[in-house]
Amino acid sequence: MRPDTPADHITEAERLLRTAAQYPEDHEPLLLQAAAHLELAGERARAATLYDELLNAPGTEHPQLVKALSAANLWEYGHEAEARALIDGVRVAAPQEAAPWEIAAETLEAHDELEAAHDLFSTALRLLIAPGEDVPYATQSLLTGRHRVRRLMGAAHDAWDELADTLHTAAVPLDELHDPKRLWALGSSDPGELRAEITRLRAELGTYRTALSRPFPVAVLHWPADELRELLTAYPGLGSEYTSHPDHLARLESALRDLQAAGTPNLGIVTGTVPSYEAFAASEAASPADPDLLPQYATTLAARGRAVPWPPPKSGACWCGSGESYRECHGGRVG
């Protein structure tokens, strides 16, 4: 059951904090989820404390994401100067992930800083979209956000707006979804206008529900060579699942390509370790030798924020850890 009231959100935040204490290796994603629930409960000062804890902790994996989330939270309860400083920090750091850019730009947009939001969206896209390469799934939302801001600014379509239109798959076109006049329609007393707007909103909501139905990536399980060797030494019965490490890598890439061809969005890879897998098996009162446990383990790792997006950029490092670019490694192989 999803939390609905402030009390429900506080209860969920407390549960996540207890889980973070149990699983220190997943401290960061669990604290981020707890902070989100505290924000929804109106406990913004407590959420800010969690963000500060992450920013001050050594080894935080996604500091720019934490900065962007902290900025959004701070601005909402009157700490505009601190929020702006954090957003400037995100810009200077120039992260290679889309999420910090999107959150920072949407924070500016929410406070009517349209030109600044547009500049941030554009800066991110120049950094993250390589000419001639497919637009990663996570980066598509930057194109959509920039399109929305430009509609609010009354700017004419440019090449990136056209690309956003091409990638948009919902029934209602982006120009309609981002039409500033829709705000006026919501306040109209004309039943026809209201019915039309409700139809548009339902289409938009359908898109959001589709995304929310997959709150975590559809992730496949990757074993580095040393970990796979240790796994098969301890549990030789799993040899039917993994005939060799090169075969494991090839099958993983093939499975992801099949999912992509079937239209599955938000694909990811989780990397397993034998101690983590054994701990998961113990928590499930199951045997690590049971092959049916492997997909459950992958799903749990993804739910705990351990997935990395697939595919990587063609010029980026391959997911397998070979040190080669994805183009020269698994990204260049077919089948």
Side-chain angles (χ1 to χ4, degrees), residues 115-175:
E115 290 188 7
H118 178 265
D119 180 60
L120 211 60
F121 276 126
S122 300
T123 300
L125 289 169
R126 284 192 292 270
L127 178 69
L128 299 180
I129 294 183
E133 294 189 359
D134 292 337
V135 180
Y137 181 79
T139 307
Q140 292 177 22
S141 58
L142 294 174
L143 286 164
T144 303
R146 183 178 179 274
H147 182 287
R148 182 180 60 248
V149 168
R150 288 174 65 81
R151 285 286 280 142
L152 291 169
M153 295 171 65
H157 273 201
D158 62 7
W160 274 340
D161 290 325
E162 292 170 5
L163 180 57
D165 285 330
T166 301
L167 295 171
H168 180 69
T169 58
V172 179
L174 281 182
D175 275 351

Side-chain angles (χ1 to χ4, degrees), residues 185-186 188-200:
L186 287 171
S188 172
S189 59
D190 183 329
E193 287 186 5
L194 286 172
R195 278 195 295 270
E197 183 55 26
I198 288 170
T199 299
R200 286 192 290 266

Side-chain angles (χ1 to χ4, degrees), residues 61-257:
E61 292 184 34
H62 303 287
Q64 305 313 316
L65 174 62
V66 178
K67 283 182 186 178
L69 290 167
S70 181
N73 178 56
L74 286 168
W75 205 323
E76 286 298 321
Y77 80 111
H79 295 269
E80 179 183 334
E82 292 176 56
R84 287 184 183 276
L86 287 169
I87 290 172
D88 287 343
V90 171
R91 179 195 291 276
V92 170
Q96 293 295 314
E97 305 84 30
W101 292 103
E102 182 179 5
I103 293 165
E106 287 184 347
T107 298
L108 292 165
E109 178 190 352
H111 295 278
D112 296 324
E113 302 272 348
L114 296 182
E115 290 188 7
H118 178 265
D119 180 60
L120 211 60
F121 276 126
S122 300
T123 300
L125 289 169
R126 284 192 292 270
L127 178 69
L128 299 180
I129 294 183
E133 294 189 359
D134 292 337
V135 180
Y137 181 79
T139 307
Q140 292 177 22
S141 58
L142 294 174
L143 286 164
T144 303
R146 183 178 179 274
H147 182 287
R148 182 180 60 248
V149 168
R150 288 174 65 81
R151 285 286 280 142
L152 291 169
M153 295 171 65
H157 273 201
D158 62 7
W160 274 340
D161 290 325
E162 292 170 5
L163 180 57
D165 285 330
T166 301
L167 295 171
H168 180 69
T169 58
V172 179
L174 281 182
D175 275 351
E176 280 193 51
L177 289 179
H178 298 160
D179 186 353
K181 293 180 180 177
R182 294 177 65 195
L183 297 175
W184 293 100
L186 287 171
S188 172
S189 59
D190 183 329
E193 287 186 5
L194 286 172
R195 278 195 295 270
E197 183 55 26
I198 288 170
T199 299
R200 286 192 290 266
L201 287 171
R202 280 178 175 162
E204 187 174 3
L205 182 59
T207 301
Y208 289 143
R209 280 180 173 159
T210 298
L212 288 172
S213 70
R214 299 188 185 276
F216 303 107
V218 177
V220 296
L221 180 59
H222 164 230
W223 295 98
D226 290 347
E227 294 292 339
L228 184 61
R229 191 178 307 114
E230 182 180 345
L231 179 75
L232 295 179
T233 299
Y235 309 103
L238 294 178
S240 59
E241 300 292 318
Y242 305 111
T243 56
S244 70
H245 190 251
D247 178 69
H248 164 55
L249 299 182
R251 289 172 63 186
L252 189 155
E253 176 74 21
S254 178
L256 286 164
R257 292 191 187 193

Side-chain angles (χ1 to χ4, degrees), residues 14 23 31 37 58 68 102 105 123 137 161 181 187 239 280 297 302 307 321:
E14 298 293 354
Y23 299 98
L31 256 62
H37 281 287
E102 182 179 5
T123 300
Y137 181 79
D161 290 325
K181 293 180 180 177
F280 172 73
Y297 175 54

